[in-house]
Amino acid sequence: MSLDALLPVAPARVRALVLPVGRITHDRFDAFAQRLHQEHVVQLRDISADGRPNRNMFSPLAFPDGAIFYHLITYVPPPSHLALAPFDLFREPLAVIAIADGQELQQVAFSKRQSVNGHAPTVAERNIRSLYQELEDLRDAHPKALTHNVLIFDYNPLADTAIPLPEGIEAIPPLEQSKRTTMKTVMCDISSLLLAEMNTLAKSFEAMTAIDSPGHASGRPGLQSTASWTSDDANPPARRNSQFTVSTVTRSASSSGAADRSQARMSMPPFKSNPFGSSTSTPSARPSTPVRSGLSSPPTTFDDISANGTHLGPASPEKKNGARSDAVEEGSRALNSDKVAVQGFGPGGLNEKWRNKGKGRATIVVGSLYLQAGRWTDALKELIDGATVAKSINDHLWHGKALELIFISIIMLAWAGHEFQVPTVCLPPNEKTAAALFKAHDAEGADPSQPKHLRNFQTVLPDLLERIIGLYSRLSGEQLPPFPLSDTTIRFANALTALHLCEGRLGKESLDMMVLGKFPSKLLDTSPRLTITPSRGHINTFLFKAFPSSAPELLTTTDRAIVLSGIAAILSTLGYHRKKALVIRELISVLIGGLVEARTRGAAEVGIHPAAGLVALNAINGHGKGAGALDLNEGDIEHGIDAFLVLLCRTYGVVGFEDAKSAPGDSTTPRDLDEDVISRINSQSATRQFGFPNIKLNIARACINFSEALPDFHGVLKASSDLLRTAGSGVAPGPRQENAAPMISRDEQMRLITNISKTSSLSQRMGLGHLSAEYWDEFLIRGITLDPLPITRPPTAHSKHVLPGVATARTSQDVNPFIYNPFLRTADKSAMTQTLVANEAATFKIVIQNPFEIDLEIESIKLYAKGSDFESSVISTIIGPYRTQILKIQGIPRNAGSLMITGAVVKVLGCRERRFPIFSKPWAPDQELKVKGIGLGALEQKQALPPPGSLIKTDSIDLEVIRAQPIILVKSISLPQSSIMLLEGERRTFSVTLHNISPTPADLLLFSFQDSTQGPLQTALANRDATAAELHEYEWLLAKKQALRLLKIDDTKRFIAPGATATFEFEILGKPGLTSGTVQIDYAHLGMPQSEIESQFYTRQVCLDLTVTVNASVELSRVDILPVHTEVPKLLWDRMRSRSTNQEKSSGVDDNDDQCLLLLDLRNAWPSDLQVRFQVGSAIEIEEHILPGNISRVIVPVPRIYIEDPHASIPALNPTRQRQFVVSSSKITPVIERGNREAFWYREKMLENISGTWKTLSGSPREGTIQLRGIRLTSRMIEAIKVDEVSIDISVEQPQPEQEAATSSTIFVDEFVQIKVQIANRTEKPLYPTVRLQPSLRNRPINVALDFTRKFAWNGTLQQTLPLLNANSSTELCIGATALCRGEFEIHASVEETQLWTAGDDNKKGEESARQRERSDTQNMLDAVLGAKERRIWHSRQPCVVAVCDRPKSESDDE
């Protein structure tokens, strides 16, 4: 059964006051009270009837199907409620049940005073006597209660040591030793005594001449002091704090039972005897009921009735404490003069109407006692009689009361399953009879299975309740006070609501709701339900008749709160959530005023100023949650008020921290996972768009005031944070996009923050550390990034295949510069920023937003990570108003593995420490068009749908933590200030010392180099317009002339132990354009052989930057090559160091065509004497001394060069360029291409045999090489240095051998000679030669020189085709000739290919061609720029000079 005091059948319940006695804890008292509550319904058939004949008026045997419903309360009803008796007799407790803990009997004595019956031998017996003494005190404190009992729970003594229990004390064994009927038997015994004592109470009401109505008694001050229920003097601390002072009759402890006038209050009228007086104080002699009562000597006159105090008129709540006794006595006399005795007739008798009114009212009161006693049929009879009398004399209030109790009696009979007939007095007036019959007929057609008596009662029920309220509200001489009128209206509305929830049908389900309070868990929605009678609109209109007036003097704060909460509960059941919210808002206002008043009064009672703060009151009352002002228990805040405030805020749309899907008041710790935070943001966004902002802010402010008035620390913190959350925008603003300013002023924001901080500080000082607010902005963390590590610290990932020891046996300094070097590549910034090293601190940047206009104080903030062990530092800061601020915080990963930074754990001042995810992207909810939505259903539906607009996404930082790595620094360098000055071609060596400052060894050291000359060369290589010769030159400079390199060392020395140092030697070369250089050292700790690395490894890098200055040394200003037609001059050989060797070589040379002269103009650009030295091959050396600034010409004889294929394609040193054919973008003719290739090959061949060096002769010793790569060959130079593929030698032979030696170049006129032409094929391929001889006159112009037909004769033709000339072979051609005149002749010769030779007929060469077919295809493509292959022609380098003269006469004479 529900404990709801506003159930429709509340007047049918018996109130029993449950109090603790002795030593007992709060938890055990609650447990024992719960055991009592389980048996709060006692069936009359289980109750034993009292054996005394004068105690059988309410005998349970008369109606065994009835039941007594107990309403167990643990508080004394307020005086304003007790003043309503006997009109509302159910408000007065008729039984007092004291609960004691049997486990405490053997512990400590309950009382230190001596027992009145002598010394007790044991502690248990002494405590039992103390309990009995407290029972006597309860009888004195609550004299109007009919029964007083003490129940000792968990007490089951042994039979041999059992202590006899006095009367009124009963022992209840523990739960495990109790039977199913143990508690039922106890309640039946209490009920039996209660029914017996009701007999005396009923007789006293029947004997009363008049019973005043509550409203009528308020105007008669003489009767205000007669409605006492408790005794002020018996036990003052037991009374609840109230603004009303109620006088009571003091129970006497004397054996005579006479009233002790010395203990009566002066405002009380004199009493002859005490009702419910005690005859003795001893346990053994005390009877079951008082020996003497107010009915032991029945009064016979009006004075006797007044003197005995049998008039039980209610006291007004507005009674003044300072009323004088003489005024009271005067009022009593005035009242006595108005009363007439009921028995008989006399001089002072009144008319029959007055007597009937008193009798009818007494009948109604007795009927209410029958109703409480469970005899509903007898109650119905008595109430029908009383209603008939009240109706006949127009006693409207009591007529309505009788109809109300009849309605309840019928409900109880219907619930018990008894048939009944609707009394005539309950039927509507005559003019409405036809309509009622028509309704009954419709109800019968709608549900034929419904019993007729229920259907008839269902038909008249709404009109009956309307009539009752109309009778209560009718203006007459007696006016019902506002509280009972509102209370009755709410109970009736509760009955109509139960009928409406059951589709308008009165049956078992609806009766269970009315009697037991079993309302369905699912509330109604917003559908109209117009076809159900009574309708929701009718119930709503009926219910709001109970809304209290705004006048504070008509209702106390407690009564006003009870009425408003009852209205709100019914509105919630009907689905009127917005109306309920308005009522709750009014309830909050009422409670705040009452709480402030109670707080002020409580502070005054303990001698504290009301403005002393929250702590003083709570500390004195011993409450930690701020429940002291209302004298609430600890659990009342969590399970009652907290849920109440949450419900109010949710109804109005106040943006709370809890997810809408969670139950209000859920005490579980909120989860801070990403999905929970996103769900919370979506829910808060939907709530933020619901309702009216100003109303929501006012509601939140009211909740703050209410919590402060309690005072409730948790409520203050929660309401303050909810107000800030509601006033905030709830968005993640982007740069200059969304407006995130709050809706409240800066001053109010400051007050709220101060309130939160102060309340949280007070909670900490009081030991309530678990109390804290929830931070009001979910988008606190707007970004977390890893700060870049120092330039030498970031680890770089590499594949194991790039290790020199894995892919190749070469180390990094020996790698071809054109091969990809992964250690010189630009590191991937994103990859570098995602890699950490174990046990090394990393710095993170946290972006925090504060959209409010006040400073945000953060007590602590640390990173939240998942994965490997991570230790974050903790910092505190203050974020300025309306800004985003960047903080730097450090963290140290402890183990290798994957690491994910998903947010930060932040403790804002006064708020709970929680995790905040990362929201780096701006977000704002889509503002939908305003669509009409009724009630909270619209909000719940919106929250159930997917959120509109862009989805909210959290960010995270994925990091990879690698094993501990060494840290190497450059400790020292042999170069001062890392700078060096060089001359062109000079090489210098320097050393670098590395220091490992970490506890991890470095077992991998790789060296790479960069300099300022590489960039321009790489740019030139990327130029598509560059020729093949230029590209080759660039590549040669990169490959052969590296500015920096590591001197060869043993690989075992590539190790640096922890804390140790290592020194390495490097060489630097002076090159034009070299201004800077970098030595890059990549190091790592592998911890294993390189071949065992599975996937990848990480290296760190330390760089040494060098500043280089390169000055000019020897400049090559001019170059030329001259052919040598005669012998090399002897003077030139004398200047060479190996003169004798060269002379011998020269003397052995028959043909001077093997040499040519290389002319070099050298300039000394260094301000010091230089000595240059050139070496040609291994035999020729020449030295030259050059003064500063002077130019010296050096002539070097060099051998001429023969090249098999001077038109071959120019190779590429870059392997990648060798495998592809790149077509030049420039258009070049085949002739120019052939010339370029010839120049390239002859230059390369010449530079292979010649080298030059220099050294200084003064100052610091320096030496270097002369850069000869600047030599460029012209076509004339090529002709001078080249050796043709076909050599042509022309000679003239005379037939007389004896004269050949002397006259080899001189012939005589008219004599025959032989012109011999020797042709040699130096190539590797045969050719078809055609020889042409061209004699001419020497030293003559070309037109004259060729006119020699009359001067020179020959035998045959000058042009002859010779047979195939094989490779590397020679042949001769002889022609007879004679000179016809004197003079000098020149004989030239040329050889021309008759036809191109092909290798198709040669099997051997054919096989070789097949083997090289693949390459020949590429070669053909490369040679395509040379055009079609043409026949070649060769000319003799120098002519054969023939001198013709006459034979001397002596010789001719001899002949």
Side-chain angles (χ1 to χ4, degrees):
M1 180 176 182
S2 173
L3 295 180
D4 186 6
L6 297 177
L7 281 179
V9 297
R13 297 188 297 191
V14 176
R15 282 194 175 184
L17 180 62
V18 182
L19 300 175
V21 291
R23 290 171 56 90
I24 184 172
T25 62
H26 183 272
D27 294 338
R28 292 183 63 80
F29 175 78
D30 287 343
F32 299 152
Q34 184 62 28
R35 292 183 64 183
L36 278 178
H37 177 71
Q38 294 175 358
E39 301 295 337
H40 70 278
V41 179
V42 181
Q43 300 293 332
L44 294 185
R45 63 173 60 91
D46 299 329
I47 302 175
S48 300
D50 195 282
R52 293 169 291 181
N54 59 343
R55 295 291 189 269
N56 57 5
M57 180 176 179
F58 296 93
S59 174
L61 302 179
F63 187 66
D65 293 338
I68 298 178
F69 290 86
Y70 283 97
H71 185 196
L72 304 178
I73 60 175
T74 57
Y75 60 92
V76 177
S80 60
H81 293 188
L82 296 175
L84 298 176
F87 184 80
D88 282 343
L89 191 60
F90 70 94
R91 302 186 187 276
E92 195 173 82
L94 300 182
V96 175
I97 302 176
I99 295 178
D101 189 357
Q103 294 183 357
E104 300 289 342
L105 293 179
Q106 304 290 344
Q107 304 296 330
V108 184
F110 293 165
S111 177
K112 294 183 179 180
R113 63 183 181 180
Q114 296 294 329
S115 175
V116 294
N117 294 328
H119 177 71
T122 61
V123 176
E125 186 174 353
R126 182 178 179 181
N127 288 335
I128 290 177
R129 293 184 181 182
S130 298
L131 293 178
Y132 181 75
Q133 188 63 43
E134 291 190 28
L135 177 61
E136 290 294 326
D137 295 339
L138 289 177
R139 290 193 177 106
D140 295 337
H142 308 289
K144 296 190 68 176
L146 301 183
T147 62
H148 302 79
N149 297 87
V150 175
L151 302 181
I152 305 177
F153 281 84
D154 290 356
Y155 181 66
N156 190 17
L158 299 177
D160 52 350
T161 60
I163 302 174
L165 299 179
E167 179 198 0
I169 300 179
E170 294 189 25
I172 301 175
L175 185 61
E176 57 274 7
Q177 300 178 8
S178 300
K179 301 178 181 179
R180 295 182 59 185
T181 59
T182 300
M183 291 303 305
K184 181 181 291 186
T185 303
V186 173
M187 294 301 294
C188 288
D189 294 342
I190 296 175
S191 301
S192 177
L193 183 60
L194 177 67
L195 293 177
E197 297 301 324
M198 277 186 177
N199 187 87
T200 304
L201 183 60
K203 293 299 182 181
S204 66
F205 283 123
E206 289 178 348
M208 294 174 63
T209 59
I211 300 177
D212 287 331
S213 303
H216 183 61
S218 62
R220 302 167 64 181
L223 298 178
Q224 293 176 5
S225 61
T226 62
S228 170
W229 190 79
T230 61
S231 174
D232 287 339
D233 300 329
N235 190 10
R239 296 184 64 240
R240 186 173 177 84
N241 295 335
S242 175
Q243 60 181 344
F244 307 111
T245 302
V246 182
S247 300
T248 60
V249 179
T250 303
R251 176 181 176 85
S252 175
S254 64
S255 59
S256 62
D260 189 354
R261 297 182 181 270
S262 63
Q263 295 183 4
R265 296 186 62 173
M266 295 182 64
S267 60
M268 295 273 298
F271 283 67
K272 289 185 178 180
S273 62
N274 226 349
F276 316 114
S278 174
S279 60
T280 179
S281 61
T282 60
S284 59
R286 184 175 181 85
S288 60
T289 57
V291 175
R292 183 168 183 171
S293 67
L295 297 180
S296 58
S297 299
T300 57
T301 64
F302 182 81
D303 294 334
D304 292 338
I305 295 174
S306 176
N308 282 304
T310 56
H311 183 82
L312 299 179
S316 171
E318 287 79 16
K319 173 191 169 298
K320 307 297 182 181
N321 293 332
R324 294 180 303 173
S325 59
D326 54 349
V328 175
E329 294 175 357
E330 183 180 357
S332 300
R333 289 192 298 270
L335 179 62
N336 293 338
S337 64
D338 296 336
K339 293 190 176 182
V340 179
V342 177
Q343 293 87 356
F345 299 89
L350 297 178
N351 53 25
E352 185 69 17
K353 179 179 179 181
W354 185 257
R355 290 194 301 271
N356 290 338
K357 178 183 292 188
K359 182 179 179 180
R361 292 183 179 183
T363 303
I364 295 173
V365 173
V366 173
S368 66
L369 284 175
Y370 274 114
L371 181 63
Q372 288 180 294
R375 294 178 54 174
W376 303 320
T377 54
D378 297 326
L380 187 59
K381 295 176 184 178
E382 293 289 334
L383 293 172
I384 292 175
D385 294 341
T388 303
V389 174
K391 181 180 180 181
S392 62
I393 60 177
N394 292 329
D395 192 0
H396 304 301
L397 285 182
W398 289 89
H399 182 201
K401 171 56 69 174
L403 293 180
E404 177 188 355
L405 298 179
I406 289 173
F407 156 70
I408 297 174
S409 300
I410 293 176
I411 291 296
M412 300 304 295
L413 288 173
W415 176 76
H418 288 265
E419 293 188 1
F420 56 87
Q421 185 176 1
V422 180
T424 307
V425 71
C426 296
L427 296 178
N430 295 331
E431 60 271 12
K432 297 183 179 180
T433 303
L437 294 177
F438 181 73
K439 290 181 180 180
H441 180 70
D442 290 344
E444 181 179 1
D447 190 3
S449 62
Q450 186 181 15
K452 185 176 181 180
H453 62 281
L454 294 179
R455 183 166 58 251
N456 293 335
F457 184 63
Q458 170 188 322
T459 304
V460 301
L461 181 59
D463 293 336
L464 175 62
L465 300 182
E466 289 280 359
R467 286 175 54 202
I468 295 173
I469 298 301
L471 291 172
Y472 283 160
S473 304
R474 183 171 297 181
L475 296 177
S476 61
E478 295 176 337
Q479 186 70 27
L480 189 65
F483 174 72
L485 177 60
S486 299
D487 180 84
T488 305
T489 305
I490 294 172
R491 288 189 283 107
F492 287 173
N494 223 334
L496 295 177
T497 301
L499 198 61
H500 179 84
L501 293 177
C502 297
E503 309 299 328
R505 183 181 185 273
L506 184 63
K508 177 175 177 51
E509 185 179 359
S510 58
L511 291 174
D512 284 342
M513 295 181 189
M514 297 179 189
V515 178
L516 304 179
K518 295 181 179 180
F519 285 90
S521 58
K522 183 178 181 181
L523 304 180
L524 297 180
D525 52 13
T526 56
S527 57
R529 298 169 63 92
L530 299 176
T531 59
I532 300 176
T533 302
S535 64
R536 289 200 305 175
H538 172 75
I539 300 174
N540 178 56
T541 304
F542 184 85
L543 176 64
F544 270 93
K545 295 179 180 179
F547 199 85
S549 173
S550 59
E553 66 275 2
L554 298 180
L555 282 176
T556 63
T557 302
T558 305
D559 295 343
R560 193 180 297 272
I562 293 174
V563 172
L564 292 175
S565 61
I567 295 175
I570 297 178
L571 290 175
S572 176
T573 305
L574 293 175
Y576 289 129
H577 299 289
R578 291 191 296 175
K579 290 183 174 63
K580 180 190 70 173
L582 293 173
V583 175
I584 294 179
R585 175 66 180 87
E586 181 66 21
L587 175 61
I588 290 292
S589 302
V590 171
L591 291 177
I592 290 175
L595 290 173
V596 172
E597 181 181 357
R599 176 180 171 185
T600 305
R601 186 171 61 251
E605 290 178 358
V606 297
I608 299 175
H609 193 276
L614 304 178
V615 181
L617 288 176
N618 285 288
I620 291 174
N621 294 326
H623 295 288
K625 291 282 290 186
L630 288 183
D631 197 19
L632 301 176
N633 294 323
E634 291 289 334
D636 297 336
I637 294 293
E638 292 93 343
H639 302 100
I641 296 178
D642 190 20
F644 164 71
L645 294 178
V646 170
L647 181 63
L648 172 66
C649 293
R650 286 186 57 192
T651 304
Y652 274 96
V654 176
V655 184
F657 176 78
E658 296 85 359
D659 193 347
K661 298 179 182 178
S662 62
D666 189 5
S667 60
T668 58
T669 303
R671 295 179 298 175
D672 298 324
L673 301 178
D674 289 353
E675 53 271 17
D676 299 324
V677 175
I678 293 175
S679 175
R680 190 182 304 134
I681 292 174
N682 291 327
S683 175
Q684 292 176 1
S685 176
T687 307
R688 189 171 279 106
Q689 298 178 10
F690 173 79
F692 300 95
N694 292 332
I695 297 179
K696 292 192 286 187
L697 297 178
N698 291 334
I699 290 296
R701 296 186 184 104
C703 291
I704 295 175
N705 296 333
F706 176 76
S707 300
E708 289 178 345
L710 274 174
D712 176 18
F713 290 167
H714 175 70
V716 171
L717 294 172
K718 184 181 184 306
S720 300
S721 62
D722 288 347
L723 178 55
L724 287 170
R725 189 178 295 106
T726 305
S729 60
V731 301
R736 297 180 178 86
Q737 290 181 1
E738 296 83 3
N739 181 16
M743 295 184 293
I744 57 178
S745 64
R746 183 180 182 276
D747 294 338
E748 186 173 3
Q749 297 175 43
M750 183 65 70
R751 286 195 300 269
L752 292 174
I753 293 296
T754 305
N755 195 18
I756 290 176
S757 61
K758 287 184 177 180
T759 306
S760 176
S761 177
L762 291 176
S763 302
Q764 297 288 340
R765 283 189 287 173
M766 295 179 64
L768 303 175
H770 62 283
L771 295 182
S772 58
E774 294 290 347
Y775 186 65
W776 40 90
D777 183 18
E778 296 291 339
F779 299 98
L780 178 64
I781 305 299
R782 293 304 309 278
I784 298 179
T785 57
L786 177 63
D787 211 20
L789 299 176
I791 191 63
T792 59
R793 298 293 178 87
T796 305
H798 302 281
S799 174
K800 69 173 184 177
H801 301 292
V802 305
L803 283 172
V806 174
T808 172
R810 297 172 298 176
T811 53
S812 61
Q813 76 275 7
D814 300 324
V815 173
N816 191 319
F818 305 110
I819 298 178
Y820 170 70
N821 186 359
F823 301 99
L824 284 178
R825 65 182 174 91
T826 302
D828 186 3
K829 297 297 183 182
S830 61
M832 291 175 58
T833 57
Q834 306 302 320
T835 306
L836 301 180
V837 181
N839 297 323
E840 291 189 14
T843 304
F844 295 84
K845 291 181 180 179
I846 303 180
V847 182
I848 301 179
Q849 80 165 14
N850 178 21
F852 290 82
E853 298 171 349
I854 52 176
D855 291 338
L856 178 64
E857 183 175 353
I858 296 180
E859 293 183 343
S860 66
I861 180 172
K862 61 182 179 180
L863 297 174
Y864 182 84
K866 295 180 179 179
S868 61
D869 189 13
F870 182 79
E871 179 181 342
S872 173
S873 61
V874 181
I875 62 174
S876 60
T877 185
I878 296 178
I879 309 299
Y882 205 78
R883 70 186 60 187
T884 57
Q885 191 164 322
I886 298 178
L887 302 179
K888 286 191 175 183
I889 185 172
Q890 287 189 339
I892 303 176
R894 293 302 182 184
N895 300 323
S898 298
L899 181 66
M900 178 183 294
I901 306 295
T902 60
V905 178
V906 184
K907 176 69 170 66
V908 180
L909 179 63
C911 298
R912 177 177 66 92
E913 184 179 33
R914 53 162 291 199
R915 169 188 171 272
F916 287 88
I918 306 172
F919 296 98
S920 59
K921 296 182 180 179
W923 180 85
D926 290 347
Q927 298 294 334
E928 297 181 348
L929 296 176
K930 188 68 175 179
V931 179
K932 178 65 175 178
I934 301 177
L936 289 176
L939 175 60
E940 294 174 357
Q941 181 180 5
K942 186 174 182 180
Q943 291 174 340
L945 295 176
S950 60
L951 297 178
I952 308 175
K953 295 182 180 180
T954 59
D955 291 340
S956 61
I957 305 177
D958 295 326
L959 303 173
E960 185 70 23
V961 182
I962 62 175
R963 294 187 306 172
Q965 294 294 321
I967 301 177
I968 294 179
L969 301 178
V970 178
K971 184 177 181 180
S972 63
I973 181 174
S974 60
L975 299 178
Q977 299 181 355
S978 300
S979 61
I980 188 174
M981 190 279 292
L982 298 171
L983 299 181
E984 289 186 14
E986 181 183 4
R987 292 184 181 271
R988 294 283 294 275
T989 301
F990 64 94
S991 61
V992 176
T993 302
L994 303 179
H995 183 203
N996 184 4
I997 63 174
S998 68
T1000 305
D1003 54 7
L1004 176 66
L1005 293 174
L1006 301 174
F1007 299 89
S1008 303
F1009 308 97
Q1010 294 180 352
D1011 59 80
S1012 58
T1013 63
Q1014 294 177 355
L1017 290 175
Q1018 295 290 351
T1019 304
L1021 285 172
N1023 185 10
R1024 297 191 60 183
D1025 294 334
T1027 62
E1030 292 173 346
L1031 295 177
H1032 183 275
E1033 186 68 18
Y1034 301 150
E1035 293 170 353
W1036 188 91
L1037 291 176
L1038 281 176
K1040 304 299 181 180
K1041 291 295 182 181
Q1042 297 180 7
L1044 292 166
R1045 69 185 184 93
L1046 174 68
L1047 297 181
K1048 294 286 186 178
I1049 61 172
D1050 189 4
D1051 288 342
T1052 58
K1053 297 182 180 179
R1054 296 174 181 264
F1055 179 86
I1056 305 179
T1061 60
T1063 303
F1064 299 92
E1065 298 288 337
F1066 299 93
E1067 185 181 73
I1068 185 170
L1069 170 65
K1071 296 173 58 178
L1074 179 63
T1075 58
S1076 62
T1078 301
V1079 179
Q1080 177 180 308
I1081 306 167
D1082 294 273
Y1083 60 93
H1085 171 66
L1086 301 179
M1088 63 184 70
Q1090 298 181 6
S1091 58
E1092 296 181 5
I1093 297 177
E1094 296 181 357
S1095 58
Q1096 64 179 4
F1097 66 98
Y1098 290 84
T1099 62
R1100 278 180 166 167
Q1101 192 178 95
V1102 58
C1103 296
L1104 174 62
D1105 294 328
L1106 303 176
T1107 302
V1108 184
T1109 302
V1110 178
N1111 292 325
S1113 56
V1114 177
E1115 294 181 353
L1116 188 62
S1117 59
R1118 182 175 179 272
V1119 179
D1120 198 1
I1121 298 177
L1122 300 177
V1124 178
H1125 298 291
T1126 60
E1127 294 183 0
V1128 176
K1130 182 176 180 300
L1131 182 61
L1132 182 60
W1133 293 116
D1134 293 339
R1135 297 182 58 184
M1136 297 182 186
R1137 180 177 301 175
S1138 56
R1139 176 179 177 183
S1140 59
T1141 304
N1142 288 304
Q1143 284 180 344
E1144 293 174 0
K1145 181 179 178 182
S1146 177
S1147 62
V1149 176
D1150 297 334
D1151 191 355
N1152 291 325
D1153 290 343
D1154 292 341
Q1155 300 291 331
C1156 64
L1157 297 181
L1158 174 64
L1159 276 66
L1160 300 174
D1161 289 346
L1162 303 178
R1163 178 179 177 271
N1164 182 5
W1166 182 245
S1168 176
D1169 294 350
L1170 293 180
Q1171 181 180 357
V1172 297
R1173 177 186 178 191
F1174 288 92
Q1175 181 175 355
V1176 180
S1178 60
I1180 301 176
E1181 278 188 10
I1182 187 171
E1183 294 182 355
E1184 186 73 20
H1185 180 79
I1186 307 176
L1187 297 176
N1190 290 353
I1191 297 178
S1192 177
R1193 173 166 292 181
V1194 178
I1195 301 176
V1196 181
V1198 296
R1200 295 175 58 220
I1201 301 169
Y1202 168 74
I1203 297 177
E1204 175 69 23
D1205 186 10
H1207 298 153
S1209 60
I1210 300 175
L1213 300 180
N1214 188 350
T1216 59
R1217 206 162 61 86
Q1218 288 178 355
R1219 294 189 295 268
Q1220 60 183 348
F1221 175 68
V1222 180
V1223 180
S1224 177
S1225 61
S1226 62
K1227 295 182 179 180
I1228 188 171
T1229 62
V1231 176
I1232 298 177
E1233 180 66 21
R1234 285 193 292 268
N1236 291 340
R1237 293 189 180 185
E1238 282 187 352
F1240 171 80
W1241 286 113
Y1242 284 106
R1243 174 177 173 270
E1244 291 295 321
K1245 194 70 174 178
M1246 181 189 70
L1247 293 178
E1248 287 179 0
N1249 297 326
I1250 186 172
S1251 63
T1253 59
W1254 59 265
K1255 67 178 180 179
T1256 59
L1257 298 178
S1258 62
S1260 59
R1262 295 176 182 270
E1263 61 180 11
T1265 59
I1266 300 175
Q1267 180 61 266
L1268 300 177
R1269 301 291 299 184
I1271 297 176
R1272 294 295 181 267
L1273 300 183
T1274 62
S1275 58
R1276 184 181 58 81
M1277 295 179 185
I1278 294 174
E1279 290 296 330
I1281 198 173
K1282 71 181 291 188
V1283 174
D1284 291 334
E1285 294 88 344
V1286 176
S1287 64
I1288 305 173
D1289 292 333
I1290 307 172
S1291 63
V1292 178
E1293 296 182 359
Q1294 297 183 10
Q1296 294 84 3
E1298 65 275 4
Q1299 298 179 359
E1300 182 179 356
T1303 60
S1304 58
S1305 60
T1306 303
I1307 62 174
F1308 303 102
V1309 179
D1310 296 333
E1311 292 185 3
F1312 291 98
V1313 294
Q1314 293 288 333
I1315 301 177
K1316 182 184 296 186
V1317 180
Q1318 185 177 4
I1319 302 172
N1321 181 10
R1322 296 190 178 98
T1323 64
E1324 298 294 333
K1325 298 179 182 180
L1327 56 85
Y1328 296 95
T1330 297
V1331 180
R1332 294 189 183 92
L1333 296 178
Q1334 187 176 358
S1336 62
L1337 298 178
R1338 190 180 183 191
N1339 301 323
R1340 295 289 186 274
I1342 188 62
N1343 56 346
V1344 177
L1346 295 179
D1347 188 12
F1348 59 86
T1349 56
R1350 297 181 181 181
K1351 300 174 182 180
F1352 193 83
W1354 60 89
N1355 182 18
T1357 61
L1358 295 179
Q1359 175 176 324
Q1360 295 184 19
T1361 300
L1362 301 180
L1364 181 66
L1365 181 62
N1366 293 325
N1368 298 321
S1369 62
S1370 62
T1371 184
E1372 289 184 355
L1373 174 65
C1374 294
I1375 298 177
T1378 181
L1380 303 179
C1381 66
R1382 295 188 305 270
E1384 291 184 351
F1385 293 88
E1386 291 180 353
I1387 302 175
H1388 295 269
S1390 63
V1391 178
E1392 182 180 0
E1393 283 186 296
T1394 306
Q1395 62 181 20
L1396 295 176
W1397 177 86
T1398 58
D1401 298 336
D1402 194 335
N1403 294 334
K1404 181 178 179 180
K1405 293 187 179 296
E1407 294 176 0
E1408 182 181 357
S1409 176
R1411 289 195 302 268
Q1412 300 178 352
R1413 183 169 302 165
E1414 181 178 358
R1415 182 180 179 277
S1416 64
D1417 293 339
T1418 305
Q1419 190 67 31
N1420 291 335
M1421 288 188 294
L1422 293 174
D1423 294 340
V1425 294
L1426 299 177
K1429 194 171 184 181
E1430 298 179 353
R1431 292 182 293 113
R1432 294 168 292 176
I1433 186 171
W1434 296 272
H1435 303 278
S1436 57
R1437 291 180 58 85
Q1438 55 186 353
C1440 178
V1441 178
V1442 179
V1444 181
C1445 61
D1446 295 332
R1447 183 175 288 274
K1449 293 183 179 181
S1450 60
E1451 296 181 2
S1452 60
D1453 293 341
D1454 294 339
E1455 292 178 358

